Amino acid sequence: MTKKIFLSTITVVVSVLMLSMALITGVLYEHFEKLLLEQMATTASFVIQGVEDEGISYFDALEEKDCRITWIAPDGTVLYDNCYDAEKMENHADREEVRQAMEGESGTSIRRSSTLSEHTIYYAVRVRDGSVVRISKAQSSVLFLMGGMLSPFFFILLAACILSGLLSYRVSKKIVRPFSEIDLKHPEQVETYEELSPFLQRIAAQNREIDAKMEEIRKQQQEFSMITENMSEGLFVVDRNYQILSYNKSAMRIFGIHSDETHLNLLAVNRSESFRTAVDSALRGRHSQQTLELDGRVYQILANAVCQPDTGQDLVGAVILVLDITEKEEQEQYRREFTANVSHELKTPLTSISGIAEIIRNGIVRQEDIPHFAGKIYDESQRLITLIGDIIKLSQLDEDQVPLEREQVDLLDIARDALQQLAPVAKKNSVTFVINGTHGLVFGVRQVLSEMVYNLCENAVKYNHPGGRVYVSVKQTTDSVELTVKDTGIGIPMAEQGRVFERFYRVDKSHSKAVGGTGLGLSIVKHGAALHHAAIEMDSEMGKGTEIRLTFPKRQR
């Protein structure tokens, strides 16, 4: 601080002195230039008097050598010059000072002389006969006069700088000394400048505030410890270098951590790929969910990034939550197995029912007996066959047993085929299709992709308003292909949007019954997207419609 005060003070002093010198130099220069012009004017008056009395013969006896004297005729011809041969000199009518003298009484200018090859001050006066007498001196004459006066001033400036440096150093030391003697723990008890009292009072207030905050932090830490230690879920808090900052008893139990182990690296707790993937994603700023099998149990790993509370951008670490989902996974597995078994068992008899209903409807038996019932049986059998087909597809997707080869598939062609199949339904519901975009190639299973696009378009038709529209677009970027299906239909409530991809889940069961369907369409889309490593995004607003986007990577893993 002493150095800064010293440098600031000496800088100000030197700057003021230098500015003063510049101003004085400017004033002196202007003063001496004015004196020089006055001297030249006096000389010119003598020369004019001599010319008017004696003519050019006046110059024969002239001994003036301090300045250059030139006599110029009214037409600009040089009649006499005491430094150069007048006959060899060019016409001077265009000289600024000569032109001013001819138009008025006198003229002045400063320029580089072509004759003397240096900057020169010119003063010209018009004689009564119209000729002009011009006096000129080199500009160095002014600088020479100034130099004689400025030399003492430079010595004064140097002495002033040295003196101001010494005084600045002593003053800065004196100013800083009270600061170094302040007791920051008890600032009110320090005797120093009166001007520092508000500053010391502020320090005391901040000390009290810091003590209160520290006490509050201790209480929050105790509360946090009570909550985390009683959680059944495992909890880890890590920094950006994977070092564990905190963990609870459940985490110790799940991963077998001993209480005497401190400063652990999180990757040493569990080395499985799924666990590492979750932690890596969180430390890159992304939310991640992974499943981990450990000691016969199934755990869900939820990892979230922790950022600076002020900016929300600077990553400081991550929080990892470990949930035991063993029972949930078992129930899901039982349900999948049940669905697969029931589907295979019911498909054959339902196909027979469909055939019999078709025979009855075609009139092979008496028409008056059972047309209504036959039609009912046929419709319901078709509905059940579709349901069984969807369940089988979901089961295959769940078990990653899709029995088809992958190939390059054009999503735009797939979308056009789906719209062609749905054209009768769209016409019946007074819904218009609009398709646009570019050809987008995806390496995947054609049948699954067709099923996904068909289900999205079918939902857009079924849950649309009469006279509504369905917009289908395909867009290809550098590293992905995006398919978007947007309708102008009834929309999905915000509270329900997170569940529409669940199996058999229906937002409005009464409306769903009216439009038909199995309730598995979006589930097939979800599982098909997972099969092709595609991302699903949905935007929906009640009464305005729904938009679903599928983004497929060009190169799938």
Side-chain angles (χ1 to χ4, degrees):
M1 187 174 179
T2 304
K3 183 179 180 181
K4 289 184 177 180
I5 295 175
F6 169 75
L7 291 176
S8 300
T9 306
I10 197 65
T11 301
V12 171
V13 172
V14 173
S15 300
V16 171
L17 290 174
M18 294 298 291
L19 181 60
S20 300
M21 179 182 176
L23 292 174
I24 292 173
T25 301
V27 171
L28 287 175
Y29 183 85
E30 184 178 354
H31 173 70
F32 283 117
E33 188 178 82
K34 185 177 180 181
L35 288 177
L36 183 60
L37 286 173
E38 290 177 354
Q39 181 183 357
M40 293 168 68
T42 303
T43 303
S45 65
F46 287 118
V47 173
I48 290 172
Q49 185 66 39
V51 169
E52 290 177 345
D53 293 341
E54 303 178 23
I56 196 168
S57 60
Y58 167 76
F59 295 107
D60 295 338
L62 185 66
E63 298 180 355
E64 178 63 50
K65 298 295 182 181
D66 292 339
C67 60
R68 178 184 175 189
I69 301 174
T70 308
W71 187 24
I72 304 167
D75 61 355
T77 303
V78 178
L79 302 174
Y80 171 79
D81 192 282
N82 66 337
C83 293
Y84 292 91
D85 187 357
E87 293 180 356
K88 296 181 180 181
M89 297 179 67
E90 60 185 6
N91 191 288
H92 278 42
D94 60 344
R95 300 297 195 268
E96 182 181 356
E97 68 281 357
V98 176
R99 189 171 62 253
Q100 291 177 6
M102 288 181 177
E103 293 175 355
E105 294 184 356
S106 64
T108 59
S109 69
I110 301 175
R111 68 177 181 274
R112 185 174 182 84
S113 172
S114 60
T115 305
L116 301 178
S117 299
E118 61 182 353
H119 280 87
T120 307
I121 301 175
Y122 296 93
Y123 180 77
V125 181
R126 182 165 56 85
V127 186
R128 280 183 293 182
D129 62 358
S131 62
V132 175
V133 172
R134 187 183 70 177
I135 310 298
S136 58
K137 281 193 175 184
Q139 197 176 34
S140 58
S141 300
V142 178
L143 299 176
F144 178 77
L145 291 172
M146 287 182 58
M149 297 195 64
L150 290 178
S151 296
F153 181 76
F154 278 112
F155 287 107
I156 295 173
L157 176 64
L158 180 60
C161 290
I162 295 173
L163 181 60
S164 61
L166 295 174
L167 293 176
S168 297
Y169 179 75
R170 293 192 62 185
V171 169
S172 60
K173 292 281 287 184
K174 186 176 181 181
I175 291 174
V176 171
R177 186 180 297 111
F179 286 93
S180 60
E181 296 175 353
I182 293 176
D183 183 2
L184 296 178
K185 292 185 178 180
H186 307 91
E188 301 100 329
Q189 301 176 7
V190 178
E191 294 183 4
T192 182
Y193 308 127
E194 184 178 352
E195 292 80 3
L196 284 179
S197 296
F199 172 69
L200 298 178
Q201 291 174 2
R202 181 60 181 165
I203 293 178
Q206 287 185 340
N207 286 344
R208 291 191 293 271
E209 185 178 349
I210 291 172
D211 291 339
K213 290 291 184 182
M214 291 299 295
E215 183 62 27
E216 183 179 351
I217 290 172
R218 281 192 289 270
K219 290 182 180 179
Q220 291 178 352
Q221 180 66 32
Q222 291 176 354
E223 293 174 358
F224 177 78
S225 298
M226 291 176 60
I227 293 172
T228 56
E229 291 305 317
N230 289 282
M231 288 172 54
S232 59
E233 298 82 3
L235 177 69
F236 290 102
V237 180
V238 297
D239 62 16
R240 289 180 297 181
N241 299 317
Y242 299 91
Q243 292 298 317
I244 299 177
L245 303 178
S246 177
Y247 56 90
N248 63 358
K249 290 181 179 179
S250 295
M252 295 172 62
R253 173 180 51 80
I254 293 171
F255 292 97
I257 302 174
H258 300 290
S259 57
D260 56 347
E261 295 182 72
T262 57
H263 305 292
L264 276 174
N265 188 290
L266 186 63
L267 299 181
V269 172
N270 186 275
R271 302 181 184 276
S272 65
E273 182 179 356
S274 59
F275 189 75
R276 185 185 184 94
T277 300
V279 179
D280 288 344
S281 297
L283 291 177
R284 292 191 187 100
R286 300 192 300 267
H287 170 74
S288 178
Q289 295 186 27
Q290 296 290 331
T291 302
L292 172 67
E293 293 187 11
L294 186 64
D295 297 333
R297 309 287 298 177
V298 181
Y299 297 95
Q300 185 178 35
I301 311 298
L302 302 178
N304 287 283
V306 177
C307 300
Q308 289 285 0
D310 295 333
T311 62
Q313 295 179 348
D314 297 334
L315 187 70
V316 296
V319 174
I320 294 89
L321 193 63
V322 185
L323 306 173
D324 190 339
I325 58 170
T326 304
E327 294 182 1
K328 180 181 177 181
E329 285 294 306
E330 290 176 350
Q331 292 174 0
E332 182 66 18
Q333 179 65 24
Y334 294 151
R335 190 179 66 80
R336 286 198 296 263
E337 292 176 357
F338 173 79
T339 301
N341 292 335
V342 169
S343 299
H344 286 290
E345 292 295 330
L346 292 179
K347 187 172 183 180
T348 301
L350 287 176
T351 304
S352 300
I353 293 173
S354 175
I356 295 171
E358 186 175 9
I359 293 173
I360 296 174
R361 187 180 64 175
N362 290 338
I364 297 177
V365 296
R366 288 191 304 171
Q367 193 72 21
E368 63 272 19
D369 293 333
I370 50 173
H372 174 71
F373 299 102
K376 192 81 171 175
I377 293 172
Y378 178 77
D379 292 339
E380 290 299 317
S381 64
Q382 290 298 314
R383 176 180 171 86
L384 290 174
I385 289 173
T386 302
L387 172 62
I388 292 169
D390 288 347
I391 293 174
I392 292 174
K393 292 169 191 172
L394 278 175
S395 178
Q396 291 173 339
L397 291 171
D398 279 345
E399 303 301 330
D400 198 17
Q401 294 178 351
V402 179
L404 295 175
E405 295 293 330
R406 291 177 180 265
E407 60 182 309
Q408 291 289 347
V409 181
D410 190 338
L411 287 184
L412 187 61
D413 292 340
I414 293 290
R416 287 171 177 167
D417 292 341
L419 297 186
Q420 186 175 1
Q421 296 177 44
L422 290 167
V425 181
K427 184 177 181 181
K428 180 180 178 182
N429 294 347
S430 302
V431 174
T432 303
F433 285 123
V434 178
I435 183 169
N436 56 62
T438 58
H439 292 279
L441 295 178
V442 174
F443 186 73
V445 181
R446 178 179 295 274
Q447 182 177 343
V448 176
L449 292 171
S450 299
E451 200 63 38
M452 293 167 63
V453 177
Y454 181 90
N455 286 337
L456 289 176
C457 296
E458 184 184 31
N459 280 355
V461 172
K462 291 193 300 184
Y463 296 97
N464 215 322
H465 298 294
R469 287 176 175 265
V470 175
Y471 301 90
V472 182
S473 66
V474 178
K475 181 174 69 174
Q476 181 168 294
T477 62
T478 305
D479 54 2
S480 65
V481 178
E482 182 180 285
L483 170 76
T484 304
V485 178
K486 180 180 179 180
D487 63 63
T488 59
I490 60 176
I492 302 171
M494 180 63 69
E496 308 287 344
Q497 291 180 18
R499 302 193 61 190
V500 294
F501 292 95
E502 295 180 10
R503 302 178 190 188
F504 302 103
Y505 186 81
R506 297 178 184 272
V507 176
D508 185 352
K509 295 180 174 54
S510 60
H511 186 77
S512 298
K513 185 176 181 180
V515 300
T518 63
L520 297 173
L522 291 181
S523 294
I524 293 175
V525 172
K526 175 183 175 182
H527 286 76
L531 178 67
H532 293 88
H533 306 287
I536 303 177
E537 296 177 85
M538 182 177 68
D539 296 316
S540 184
E541 186 173 352
M542 289 297 294
K544 293 187 177 180
T546 301
E547 178 179 346
I548 297 180
R549 291 179 298 279
L550 295 176
T551 304
F552 297 85
K554 283 189 176 179
R555 293 185 176 273
Q556 300 174 18
R557 295 167 293 191

